[in-house]
Amino acid sequence: MSVVGSTVVPMHDRQSSRWFRRLAGTDVDDALAFFAADYGLRTPTVRRTSASTKWDFAGVGDGRMSLRTSRLGVDLHCESFVEDAFVIAWVRSGSSTMTAGGESVDLEPGVPVVLPTESVYEIHQRDVALSVVHLDRTFVTGLAGDPAFTFDPLRRPSADGMRLWRSTVQQHSSRWLDMDHELDELARRDIAEAFSSAALRAFPQRASWRSSIAGNGPEHERLRRALEFVHAHANEAIGTPEIAAAAGLSARGLQQSLRRHLDQTPGELLREVRLEGAHTDLRRADRDELSVAEIARSWGFGHLGRFSAAYRSRFGELPSESLRSRV
């Protein structure tokens, strides 16, 4: 591979199946050609911000994940589209604004977010340096136990999520990026799984229940607030009074609204969300570290026999079978 006006150091480690690529240059056309192909950029509009434009890229990856850094010293407007990967990015310097679904988000230095997936979004960047992690979509959804799983894009992680993500990056990046030492299949999978599991725990997820509330009236908004509260606090000691208060409804109003739109009682809703949470944790857990009973208790199920019966009715298998089926 060669790029006019750039320094290219291609390398492929056949034994470990990792690829390594580094490019650097000063030609804007070369930069756009590379980033358009590698990042799916569309319709770019570029304005120089200095007399001398510098850009660079470095990355190491395989079929499951890649770690990348890039720098582009221009003012860039463009669109992007990614469908086969979850892309997590954070700004090291410069500025980057992402616009999706009519909402614009300014990326904060050092704060990672998951970029939009399966929809075109707009980018405005100026003299930006980025760190990026690409995670294969199929690999992540397999760990999540849900082929339709996706993240809620452009949402910053919680404080705990931020600490977990940064710890994962610090713990595994140097080993992943060290091309002088071979990583066998098991080691590469373990690192990819560590990054993917950290992403699943750190970043907000797009809940499938959002599409179940059709309509934009005041009642619909209150019901969405109720569901938002239940999904965020289902593993805590909550019940109808807390859910109703979060939604701005009376207990009776909550019951009527849930029955009208979802044909559920507050108790049925809470149990379903807790079962879903336990199912997710069982599919992700290491059976040598966590037991079914521990996961059940963490989701508010005090009676293991009743939990197992409800779980089997909902998912068609026992909790212990979900724990053993971890991929």
Side-chain angles (χ1 to χ4, degrees), residues 8 13 37 39 90 94 100 123 130 148 169 177 198 218 230 257 262 270 274 320:
V8 185
D13 187 327
Y39 284 85
W90 59 98
I123 300 173
L130 291 172
V169 171
L177 296 171
V230 170
S257 186
L262 298 179
L270 184 56
R274 284 173 168 168
S320 57

Side-chain angles (χ1 to χ4, degrees), residues 12-19 61-62 179 181-185 188:
H12 186 77
D13 187 327
R14 295 180 183 275
Q15 290 183 320
S16 70
S17 298
R18 281 183 296 164
W19 55 259
D62 68 359
M179 293 298 293
H181 293 85
E182 179 183 342
L183 286 178
D184 61 22
E185 164 67 14
R188 288 188 292 112

Side-chain angles (χ1 to χ4, degrees), residues 233-249:
H233 300 278
N235 59 347
E236 302 173 14
I238 62 171
T240 298
E242 290 79 14
I243 300 169
L249 291 166

Side-chain angles (χ1 to χ4, degrees), residues 226-227 229-243 254 258 262 264-278 299-301:
L227 268 64
F229 179 80
V230 170
H231 281 83
H233 300 278
N235 59 347
E236 302 173 14
I238 62 171
T240 298
E242 290 79 14
I243 300 169
L254 173 66
L258 280 171
L262 298 179
Q264 286 183 315
T265 66
E268 289 169 342
L269 169 65
L270 184 56
R271 187 180 73 157
E272 179 179 327
V273 173
R274 284 173 168 168
L275 283 171
E276 291 284 353
W299 285 99
F301 296 100

